[in-house]
Amino acid sequence: MSWQPGAGLEQLRARAGLLSTLRRFFDARGVLEVETPLLCSAGITDPAIEPLIVSEGRSLAAPRYLQTSPEYAMKRLLAAGSGAIYQIARAFRDGEAGSRHNPEFSLLEWYRPGFDHHALMEEVAELVCACLGQRPWRKLSYRQLFIDSIALDPFTAATSDLEARARSGHDLGDLSGDRDFWLDVLITHQVEPWLAGQGLCFVYDYPASQAALSQIVTEGGVAVGQRFELYIDGVELANGYCELTDATEQRVRFATDNERRLALGQVARPVDERLLAALEAGLPPCSGVALGVDRLLMLATGERDIRRVLAFDWERC
Amino acid sequence: MARLRVRNAAKSRDCEVSLPPIFSATVAVMANYSTNEFRSGLKVMLDGDPCSILENEFVKPGKGQAFNRVRMRNLATGRVWERTFKSGDTLEGADVMDRNMQYLYNDGEFWHFMEPDTFEQFQADAKAVGESHLWLKEQDECVVTLYNGSPLSVTPPNFVELEIVETDPGLKGDTAQGGSKPATLVTGAVVKVPLFITTGEVVRVDTRTGEYQNRVSK
């Protein structure tokens, strides 16, 4: 057992400098800094995200979820007329630990009323350049990304072809799953290594089945979610949406998520009725993005392991 | 019902506890390990073979399914490779342990080893001993990896000292530099030695590379 920090003084100073740069960036643009609660009574329905739950204490009428992101609370502020807002918050995701993951981590999340996801991508690029220095950046649609990197069209290829390609060169044992499962194997095992040579690259317009909380539109004959991811040298850094504002559609997505959770043997999660009520009242058209601050710091300092930029990683606290 | 003698720390004396019947089986009951518990050195069962985990990398797309890319060694075959698991998948632990043992003798079919503390003896077949037989000298200590209580593999010491039983006659006046020649050791291993080494001499060999290190004065 070691009492000492995993990050050096240099990394601690770099973090302080980065936080200061982020706040200056938003201050200069008139984006309001906000704080929202870490402990929430509703969790997240996404089958791929598991929250940590706090279940003891006299203040608790029921267990509360440590937030996996401040998204729902920030959308309630937007619906209340906050205008552009940002937050630098701790978020928690159960079971996510490795060289790029810590179960407790720092998220920078911000929302821009009136922006579509392409306008927000530009602002993300400006912010990243403000932190890491000027550099070129590019955008690739999810479809073009797969075609350029592994010569498969993710929208039209047969699921069996996606699986066959996923298995080539990789021992996947008896893994099985649906179309999105194989796309996830391909992007993590074969596409991300290709992205490692692409510098700062946005990937946008995901399959509608991976839209999460983004607007779904038809582009090039296929339904796409207006969602984007930012990769820098193959490191996934940020996820953004042209936000879904329709309360009815949001309720359907929550229900669909919970059906998938049950089919996968997971427990269903209570839906956030306060968020739905806020959408009902009216969320202004906006785009929002969440960016991993610890990973941005890794890129700024050249560290390849997240544990080297955290004062005390999961095993040290 | 099986009984187990344990030390009661609070009372600082031994006492007996009853165990459920499952513990009375001779095979150890192994725990299951989830991907987030996979650490370097953990021994698990995969496709019927015991494997040792070397590295475990967690990967996840921005949204969607998380995976663990796990580098492991199959302890039965020695093969090292990478297998991908869905995060949260579990594997059964393997009853595998490394023990220091003394090599006793070969009876023509089996190699016999003894644990020096307990004098417990184990016999290993040719599959378990593999190439290691080239470096086993009676009385030497080596590591025997036990799987379900039987030898699975044998690892010789990194350096062994063995007598040369056959090599071309030495060339007087030759020094350490210059050419080399093959020499057959008492175990049957053939190593390259400097020209000045003669039959009957003892040499030190690195068992990991099979390379001659130096002459050992007798």
Side-chain angles (χ1 to χ4, degrees), chain A residues 204-235:
Chain A
Y204 65 95
D205 288 359
Y206 278 66
S209 52
Q210 299 180 22
L213 302 190
S214 64
Q215 296 270 11
I216 294 175
V217 297
T218 301
E219 287 278 354
V222 291
V224 298
Q226 291 184 315
R227 178 189 146 200
F228 68 87
E229 292 271 358
L230 168 61
Y231 287 88
I232 298 184
D233 299 331
V235 175

PDB file of all heavy atoms in Angstrom, chain A residues 204-235:
ATOM      1  N   TYR A 204     -18.581  11.753 -37.207  1.00  0.00           N
ATOM      2  CA  TYR A 204     -19.933  12.242 -36.972  1.00  0.00           C
ATOM      3  C   TYR A 204     -20.958  11.442 -37.757  1.00  0.00           C
ATOM      4  O   TYR A 204     -20.621  10.687 -38.659  1.00  0.00           O
ATOM      5  CB  TYR A 204     -20.031  13.730 -37.341  1.00  0.00           C
ATOM      6  CG  TYR A 204     -19.830  14.007 -38.814  1.00  0.00           C
ATOM      7  CD1 TYR A 204     -20.918  14.110 -39.681  1.00  0.00           C
ATOM      8  CD2 TYR A 204     -18.547  14.132 -39.342  1.00  0.00           C
ATOM      9  CE1 TYR A 204     -20.734  14.348 -41.027  1.00  0.00           C
ATOM     10  CE2 TYR A 204     -18.360  14.362 -40.683  1.00  0.00           C
ATOM     11  CZ  TYR A 204     -19.450  14.468 -41.530  1.00  0.00           C
ATOM     12  OH  TYR A 204     -19.269  14.671 -42.872  1.00  0.00           O
ATOM     13  N   ASP A 205     -22.210  11.620 -37.369  1.00  0.00           N
ATOM     14  CA  ASP A 205     -23.358  10.948 -37.986  1.00  0.00           C
ATOM     15  C   ASP A 205     -23.267   9.436 -37.827  1.00  0.00           C
ATOM     16  O   ASP A 205     -22.922   8.696 -38.754  1.00  0.00           O
ATOM     17  CB  ASP A 205     -23.526  11.367 -39.459  1.00  0.00           C
ATOM     18  CG  ASP A 205     -24.040  12.799 -39.564  1.00  0.00           C
ATOM     19  OD1 ASP A 205     -24.278  13.427 -38.503  1.00  0.00           O
ATOM     20  OD2 ASP A 205     -24.199  13.293 -40.691  1.00  0.00           O
ATOM     21  N   TYR A 206     -23.594   8.994 -36.625  1.00  0.00           N
ATOM     22  CA  TYR A 206     -23.526   7.574 -36.245  1.00  0.00           C
ATOM     23  C   TYR A 206     -24.790   6.837 -36.682  1.00  0.00           C
ATOM     24  O   TYR A 206     -25.833   7.477 -36.916  1.00  0.00           O
ATOM     25  CB  TYR A 206     -23.334   7.468 -34.717  1.00  0.00           C
ATOM     26  CG  TYR A 206     -21.882   7.637 -34.309  1.00  0.00           C
ATOM     27  CD1 TYR A 206     -21.230   8.846 -34.494  1.00  0.00           C
ATOM     28  CD2 TYR A 206     -21.163   6.568 -33.776  1.00  0.00           C
ATOM     29  CE1 TYR A 206     -19.901   9.005 -34.147  1.00  0.00           C
ATOM     30  CE2 TYR A 206     -19.828   6.715 -33.422  1.00  0.00           C
ATOM     31  CZ  TYR A 206     -19.197   7.935 -33.607  1.00  0.00           C
ATOM     32  OH  TYR A 206     -17.880   8.081 -33.278  1.00  0.00           O
ATOM     33  N   PRO A 207     -24.748   5.513 -36.778  1.00  0.00           N
ATOM     34  CA  PRO A 207     -25.976   4.767 -37.054  1.00  0.00           C
ATOM     35  C   PRO A 207     -27.060   5.173 -36.051  1.00  0.00           C
ATOM     36  O   PRO A 207     -26.754   5.426 -34.880  1.00  0.00           O
ATOM     37  CB  PRO A 207     -25.570   3.305 -36.844  1.00  0.00           C
ATOM     38  CG  PRO A 207     -24.090   3.287 -37.068  1.00  0.00           C
ATOM     39  CD  PRO A 207     -23.588   4.625 -36.580  1.00  0.00           C
ATOM     40  N   ALA A 208     -28.306   5.233 -36.510  1.00  0.00           N
ATOM     41  CA  ALA A 208     -29.403   5.685 -35.646  1.00  0.00           C
ATOM     42  C   ALA A 208     -29.487   4.843 -34.381  1.00  0.00           C
ATOM     43  O   ALA A 208     -29.846   5.342 -33.314  1.00  0.00           O
ATOM     44  CB  ALA A 208     -30.719   5.625 -36.412  1.00  0.00           C
ATOM     45  N   SER A 209     -29.101   3.560 -34.484  1.00  0.00           N
ATOM     46  CA  SER A 209     -29.145   2.676 -33.316  1.00  0.00           C
ATOM     47  C   SER A 209     -28.112   3.079 -32.265  1.00  0.00           C
ATOM     48  O   SER A 209     -28.163   2.615 -31.139  1.00  0.00           O
ATOM     49  CB  SER A 209     -28.894   1.235 -33.765  1.00  0.00           C
ATOM     50  OG  SER A 209     -27.704   1.182 -34.546  1.00  0.00           O
ATOM     51  N   GLN A 210     -27.140   3.928 -32.646  1.00  0.00           N
ATOM     52  CA  GLN A 210     -26.135   4.400 -31.691  1.00  0.00           C
ATOM     53  C   GLN A 210     -26.288   5.900 -31.446  1.00  0.00           C
ATOM     54  O   GLN A 210     -25.335   6.565 -31.036  1.00  0.00           O
ATOM     55  CB  GLN A 210     -24.716   4.105 -32.216  1.00  0.00           C
ATOM     56  CG  GLN A 210     -24.451   2.622 -32.419  1.00  0.00           C
ATOM     57  CD  GLN A 210     -23.036   2.350 -32.942  1.00  0.00           C
ATOM     58  OE1 GLN A 210     -22.129   3.167 -32.775  1.00  0.00           O
ATOM     59  NE2 GLN A 210     -22.844   1.205 -33.567  1.00  0.00           N
ATOM     60  N   ALA A 211     -27.501   6.417 -31.688  1.00  0.00           N
ATOM     61  CA  ALA A 211     -27.722   7.861 -31.591  1.00  0.00           C
ATOM     62  C   ALA A 211     -27.638   8.361 -30.162  1.00  0.00           C
ATOM     63  O   ALA A 211     -27.342   9.525 -29.928  1.00  0.00           O
ATOM     64  CB  ALA A 211     -29.079   8.218 -32.177  1.00  0.00           C
ATOM     65  N   ALA A 212     -27.913   7.471 -29.164  1.00  0.00           N
ATOM     66  CA  ALA A 212     -27.971   7.882 -27.756  1.00  0.00           C
ATOM     67  C   ALA A 212     -28.973   9.022 -27.617  1.00  0.00           C
ATOM     68  O   ALA A 212     -30.135   8.831 -27.917  1.00  0.00           O
ATOM     69  CB  ALA A 212     -26.589   8.229 -27.224  1.00  0.00           C
ATOM     70  N   LEU A 213     -28.554  10.234 -27.230  1.00  0.00           N
ATOM     71  CA  LEU A 213     -29.507  11.325 -27.019  1.00  0.00           C
ATOM     72  C   LEU A 213     -29.424  12.378 -28.121  1.00  0.00           C
ATOM     73  O   LEU A 213     -29.684  13.559 -27.885  1.00  0.00           O
ATOM     74  CB  LEU A 213     -29.272  11.975 -25.653  1.00  0.00           C
ATOM     75  CG  LEU A 213     -29.373  11.067 -24.426  1.00  0.00           C
ATOM     76  CD1 LEU A 213     -29.366  11.886 -23.146  1.00  0.00           C
ATOM     77  CD2 LEU A 213     -30.629  10.201 -24.473  1.00  0.00           C
ATOM     78  N   SER A 214     -29.029  11.950 -29.327  1.00  0.00           N
ATOM     79  CA  SER A 214     -28.925  12.922 -30.423  1.00  0.00           C
ATOM     80  C   SER A 214     -30.158  12.847 -31.321  1.00  0.00           C
ATOM     81  O   SER A 214     -30.886  11.858 -31.328  1.00  0.00           O
ATOM     82  CB  SER A 214     -27.654  12.655 -31.238  1.00  0.00           C
ATOM     83  OG  SER A 214     -27.718  11.385 -31.867  1.00  0.00           O
ATOM     84  N   GLN A 215     -30.350  13.914 -32.098  1.00  0.00           N
ATOM     85  CA  GLN A 215     -31.431  13.967 -33.096  1.00  0.00           C
ATOM     86  C   GLN A 215     -31.147  12.927 -34.178  1.00  0.00           C
ATOM     87  O   GLN A 215     -30.001  12.775 -34.603  1.00  0.00           O
ATOM     88  CB  GLN A 215     -31.449  15.346 -33.792  1.00  0.00           C
ATOM     89  CG  GLN A 215     -31.753  16.519 -32.897  1.00  0.00           C
ATOM     90  CD  GLN A 215     -33.252  16.812 -32.825  1.00  0.00           C
ATOM     91  OE1 GLN A 215     -34.082  16.015 -33.281  1.00  0.00           O
ATOM     92  NE2 GLN A 215     -33.592  17.941 -32.215  1.00  0.00           N
ATOM     93  N   ILE A 216     -32.182  12.258 -34.655  1.00  0.00           N
ATOM     94  CA  ILE A 216     -32.019  11.323 -35.766  1.00  0.00           C
ATOM     95  C   ILE A 216     -32.587  11.954 -37.035  1.00  0.00           C
ATOM     96  O   ILE A 216     -33.698  12.483 -37.029  1.00  0.00           O
ATOM     97  CB  ILE A 216     -32.717   9.975 -35.456  1.00  0.00           C
ATOM     98  CG1 ILE A 216     -31.990   9.288 -34.283  1.00  0.00           C
ATOM     99  CG2 ILE A 216     -32.715   9.070 -36.693  1.00  0.00           C
ATOM    100  CD1 ILE A 216     -32.648   8.009 -33.806  1.00  0.00           C
ATOM    101  N   VAL A 217     -31.764  11.961 -38.076  1.00  0.00           N
ATOM    102  CA  VAL A 217     -32.206  12.512 -39.366  1.00  0.00           C
ATOM    103  C   VAL A 217     -31.815  11.517 -40.457  1.00  0.00           C
ATOM    104  O   VAL A 217     -31.080  10.556 -40.201  1.00  0.00           O
ATOM    105  CB  VAL A 217     -31.530  13.882 -39.667  1.00  0.00           C
ATOM    106  CG1 VAL A 217     -31.924  14.913 -38.625  1.00  0.00           C
ATOM    107  CG2 VAL A 217     -30.022  13.733 -39.763  1.00  0.00           C
ATOM    108  N   THR A 218     -32.305  11.756 -41.686  1.00  0.00           N
ATOM    109  CA  THR A 218     -31.905  10.898 -42.802  1.00  0.00           C
ATOM    110  C   THR A 218     -30.839  11.611 -43.621  1.00  0.00           C
ATOM    111  O   THR A 218     -31.018  12.758 -44.024  1.00  0.00           O
ATOM    112  CB  THR A 218     -33.128  10.554 -43.679  1.00  0.00           C
ATOM    113  OG1 THR A 218     -34.088   9.903 -42.844  1.00  0.00           O
ATOM    114  CG2 THR A 218     -32.736   9.612 -44.809  1.00  0.00           C
ATOM    115  N   GLU A 219     -29.713  10.949 -43.794  1.00  0.00           N
ATOM    116  CA  GLU A 219     -28.594  11.505 -44.569  1.00  0.00           C
ATOM    117  C   GLU A 219     -28.128  10.424 -45.537  1.00  0.00           C
ATOM    118  O   GLU A 219     -27.840   9.308 -45.098  1.00  0.00           O
ATOM    119  CB  GLU A 219     -27.411  11.868 -43.654  1.00  0.00           C
ATOM    120  CG  GLU A 219     -27.591  13.100 -42.781  1.00  0.00           C
ATOM    121  CD  GLU A 219     -27.310  14.406 -43.482  1.00  0.00           C
ATOM    122  OE1 GLU A 219     -26.847  14.371 -44.649  1.00  0.00           O
ATOM    123  OE2 GLU A 219     -27.567  15.451 -42.870  1.00  0.00           O
ATOM    124  N   GLY A 220     -28.071  10.778 -46.836  1.00  0.00           N
ATOM    125  CA  GLY A 220     -27.561   9.802 -47.812  1.00  0.00           C
ATOM    126  C   GLY A 220     -28.359   8.509 -47.811  1.00  0.00           C
ATOM    127  O   GLY A 220     -27.806   7.424 -47.995  1.00  0.00           O
ATOM    128  N   GLY A 221     -29.656   8.617 -47.557  1.00  0.00           N
ATOM    129  CA  GLY A 221     -30.520   7.435 -47.642  1.00  0.00           C
ATOM    130  C   GLY A 221     -30.524   6.565 -46.404  1.00  0.00           C
ATOM    131  O   GLY A 221     -31.175   5.535 -46.373  1.00  0.00           O
ATOM    132  N   VAL A 222     -29.757   6.956 -45.359  1.00  0.00           N
ATOM    133  CA  VAL A 222     -29.767   6.147 -44.128  1.00  0.00           C
ATOM    134  C   VAL A 222     -30.086   7.047 -42.931  1.00  0.00           C
ATOM    135  O   VAL A 222     -29.807   8.250 -42.959  1.00  0.00           O
ATOM    136  CB  VAL A 222     -28.413   5.429 -43.890  1.00  0.00           C
ATOM    137  CG1 VAL A 222     -28.194   4.334 -44.921  1.00  0.00           C
ATOM    138  CG2 VAL A 222     -27.269   6.427 -43.878  1.00  0.00           C
ATOM    139  N   ALA A 223     -30.680   6.432 -41.908  1.00  0.00           N
ATOM    140  CA  ALA A 223     -30.988   7.188 -40.691  1.00  0.00           C
ATOM    141  C   ALA A 223     -29.718   7.307 -39.860  1.00  0.00           C
ATOM    142  O   ALA A 223     -29.069   6.297 -39.561  1.00  0.00           O
ATOM    143  CB  ALA A 223     -32.078   6.475 -39.907  1.00  0.00           C
ATOM    144  N   VAL A 224     -29.350   8.530 -39.507  1.00  0.00           N
ATOM    145  CA  VAL A 224     -28.150   8.736 -38.692  1.00  0.00           C
ATOM    146  C   VAL A 224     -28.485   9.557 -37.455  1.00  0.00           C
ATOM    147  O   VAL A 224     -29.383  10.413 -37.479  1.00  0.00           O
ATOM    148  CB  VAL A 224     -27.016   9.453 -39.479  1.00  0.00           C
ATOM    149  CG1 VAL A 224     -26.565   8.608 -40.658  1.00  0.00           C
ATOM    150  CG2 VAL A 224     -27.429  10.851 -39.909  1.00  0.00           C
ATOM    151  N   GLY A 225     -27.757   9.281 -36.392  1.00  0.00           N
ATOM    152  CA  GLY A 225     -27.852  10.095 -35.195  1.00  0.00           C
ATOM    153  C   GLY A 225     -26.843  11.224 -35.330  1.00  0.00           C
ATOM    154  O   GLY A 225     -25.678  10.977 -35.669  1.00  0.00           O
ATOM    155  N   GLN A 226     -27.282  12.464 -35.047  1.00  0.00           N
ATOM    156  CA  GLN A 226     -26.378  13.613 -35.208  1.00  0.00           C
ATOM    157  C   GLN A 226     -25.485  13.714 -33.976  1.00  0.00           C
ATOM    158  O   GLN A 226     -25.583  14.632 -33.169  1.00  0.00           O
ATOM    159  CB  GLN A 226     -27.189  14.888 -35.446  1.00  0.00           C
ATOM    160  CG  GLN A 226     -27.873  14.859 -36.795  1.00  0.00           C
ATOM    161  CD  GLN A 226     -28.608  16.146 -37.089  1.00  0.00           C
ATOM    162  OE1 GLN A 226     -29.314  16.684 -36.223  1.00  0.00           O
ATOM    163  NE2 GLN A 226     -28.466  16.659 -38.288  1.00  0.00           N
ATOM    164  N   ARG A 227     -24.634  12.736 -33.881  1.00  0.00           N
ATOM    165  CA  ARG A 227     -23.733  12.561 -32.762  1.00  0.00           C
ATOM    166  C   ARG A 227     -22.308  12.629 -33.295  1.00  0.00           C
ATOM    167  O   ARG A 227     -22.073  12.277 -34.454  1.00  0.00           O
ATOM    168  CB  ARG A 227     -24.013  11.170 -32.175  1.00  0.00           C
ATOM    169  CG  ARG A 227     -23.140  10.769 -31.018  1.00  0.00           C
ATOM    170  CD  ARG A 227     -23.355   9.292 -30.661  1.00  0.00           C
ATOM    171  NE  ARG A 227     -22.085   8.779 -30.204  1.00  0.00           N
ATOM    172  CZ  ARG A 227     -21.763   7.511 -30.161  1.00  0.00           C
ATOM    173  NH1 ARG A 227     -22.601   6.577 -30.583  1.00  0.00           N
ATOM    174  NH2 ARG A 227     -20.580   7.153 -29.715  1.00  0.00           N
ATOM    175  N   PHE A 228     -21.364  13.101 -32.477  1.00  0.00           N
ATOM    176  CA  PHE A 228     -19.966  13.063 -32.930  1.00  0.00           C
ATOM    177  C   PHE A 228     -19.052  12.606 -31.806  1.00  0.00           C
ATOM    178  O   PHE A 228     -19.384  12.703 -30.618  1.00  0.00           O
ATOM    179  CB  PHE A 228     -19.521  14.414 -33.487  1.00  0.00           C
ATOM    180  CG  PHE A 228     -19.418  15.527 -32.474  1.00  0.00           C
ATOM    181  CD1 PHE A 228     -18.248  15.733 -31.741  1.00  0.00           C
ATOM    182  CD2 PHE A 228     -20.481  16.403 -32.264  1.00  0.00           C
ATOM    183  CE1 PHE A 228     -18.146  16.769 -30.808  1.00  0.00           C
ATOM    184  CE2 PHE A 228     -20.390  17.439 -31.330  1.00  0.00           C
ATOM    185  CZ  PHE A 228     -19.221  17.626 -30.606  1.00  0.00           C
ATOM    186  N   GLU A 229     -17.923  12.086 -32.210  1.00  0.00           N
ATOM    187  CA  GLU A 229     -16.857  11.720 -31.280  1.00  0.00           C
ATOM    188  C   GLU A 229     -15.597  12.412 -31.766  1.00  0.00           C
ATOM    189  O   GLU A 229     -15.368  12.526 -32.973  1.00  0.00           O
ATOM    190  CB  GLU A 229     -16.588  10.203 -31.302  1.00  0.00           C
ATOM    191  CG  GLU A 229     -17.702   9.350 -30.745  1.00  0.00           C
ATOM    192  CD  GLU A 229     -17.576   9.107 -29.246  1.00  0.00           C
ATOM    193  OE1 GLU A 229     -16.595   9.583 -28.639  1.00  0.00           O
ATOM    194  OE2 GLU A 229     -18.472   8.448 -28.692  1.00  0.00           O
ATOM    195  N   LEU A 230     -14.778  12.869 -30.821  1.00  0.00           N
ATOM    196  CA  LEU A 230     -13.475  13.417 -31.199  1.00  0.00           C
ATOM    197  C   LEU A 230     -12.390  12.415 -30.820  1.00  0.00           C
ATOM    198  O   LEU A 230     -12.350  11.928 -29.679  1.00  0.00           O
ATOM    199  CB  LEU A 230     -13.223  14.743 -30.457  1.00  0.00           C
ATOM    200  CG  LEU A 230     -11.773  15.264 -30.538  1.00  0.00           C
ATOM    201  CD1 LEU A 230     -11.359  15.534 -31.983  1.00  0.00           C
ATOM    202  CD2 LEU A 230     -11.606  16.522 -29.690  1.00  0.00           C
ATOM    203  N   TYR A 231     -11.540  12.106 -31.774  1.00  0.00           N
ATOM    204  CA  TYR A 231     -10.364  11.275 -31.524  1.00  0.00           C
ATOM    205  C   TYR A 231      -9.118  12.115 -31.747  1.00  0.00           C
ATOM    206  O   TYR A 231      -9.044  12.889 -32.704  1.00  0.00           O
ATOM    207  CB  TYR A 231     -10.323  10.079 -32.482  1.00  0.00           C
ATOM    208  CG  TYR A 231     -11.342   9.010 -32.171  1.00  0.00           C
ATOM    209  CD1 TYR A 231     -12.624   9.072 -32.712  1.00  0.00           C
ATOM    210  CD2 TYR A 231     -11.010   7.938 -31.352  1.00  0.00           C
ATOM    211  CE1 TYR A 231     -13.563   8.093 -32.433  1.00  0.00           C
ATOM    212  CE2 TYR A 231     -11.946   6.959 -31.071  1.00  0.00           C
ATOM    213  CZ  TYR A 231     -13.215   7.037 -31.608  1.00  0.00           C
ATOM    214  OH  TYR A 231     -14.125   6.062 -31.327  1.00  0.00           O
ATOM    215  N   ILE A 232      -8.160  11.989 -30.839  1.00  0.00           N
ATOM    216  CA  ILE A 232      -6.855  12.609 -31.077  1.00  0.00           C
ATOM    217  C   ILE A 232      -5.820  11.501 -31.019  1.00  0.00           C
ATOM    218  O   ILE A 232      -5.673  10.833 -29.988  1.00  0.00           O
ATOM    219  CB  ILE A 232      -6.535  13.715 -30.057  1.00  0.00           C
ATOM    220  CG1 ILE A 232      -7.572  14.837 -30.173  1.00  0.00           C
ATOM    221  CG2 ILE A 232      -5.125  14.252 -30.281  1.00  0.00           C
ATOM    222  CD1 ILE A 232      -7.307  16.035 -29.292  1.00  0.00           C
ATOM    223  N   ASP A 233      -5.150  11.287 -32.130  1.00  0.00           N
ATOM    224  CA  ASP A 233      -4.161  10.203 -32.248  1.00  0.00           C
ATOM    225  C   ASP A 233      -4.764   8.879 -31.749  1.00  0.00           C
ATOM    226  O   ASP A 233      -4.096   8.089 -31.070  1.00  0.00           O
ATOM    227  CB  ASP A 233      -2.882  10.537 -31.465  1.00  0.00           C
ATOM    228  CG  ASP A 233      -2.214  11.803 -31.994  1.00  0.00           C
ATOM    229  OD1 ASP A 233      -2.373  12.084 -33.204  1.00  0.00           O
ATOM    230  OD2 ASP A 233      -1.568  12.520 -31.214  1.00  0.00           O
ATOM    231  N   GLY A 234      -6.027   8.648 -32.067  1.00  0.00           N
ATOM    232  CA  GLY A 234      -6.675   7.378 -31.719  1.00  0.00           C
ATOM    233  C   GLY A 234      -7.258   7.332 -30.319  1.00  0.00           C
ATOM    234  O   GLY A 234      -7.907   6.361 -29.960  1.00  0.00           O
ATOM    235  N   VAL A 235      -7.025   8.385 -29.507  1.00  0.00           N
ATOM    236  CA  VAL A 235      -7.596   8.427 -28.154  1.00  0.00           C
ATOM    237  C   VAL A 235      -8.966   9.109 -28.235  1.00  0.00           C
ATOM    238  O   VAL A 235      -9.067  10.242 -28.712  1.00  0.00           O
ATOM    239  CB  VAL A 235      -6.681   9.212 -27.183  1.00  0.00           C
ATOM    240  CG1 VAL A 235      -7.344   9.348 -25.815  1.00  0.00           C
ATOM    241  CG2 VAL A 235      -5.330   8.537 -27.077  1.00  0.00           C
TER     242      VAL A 235
END
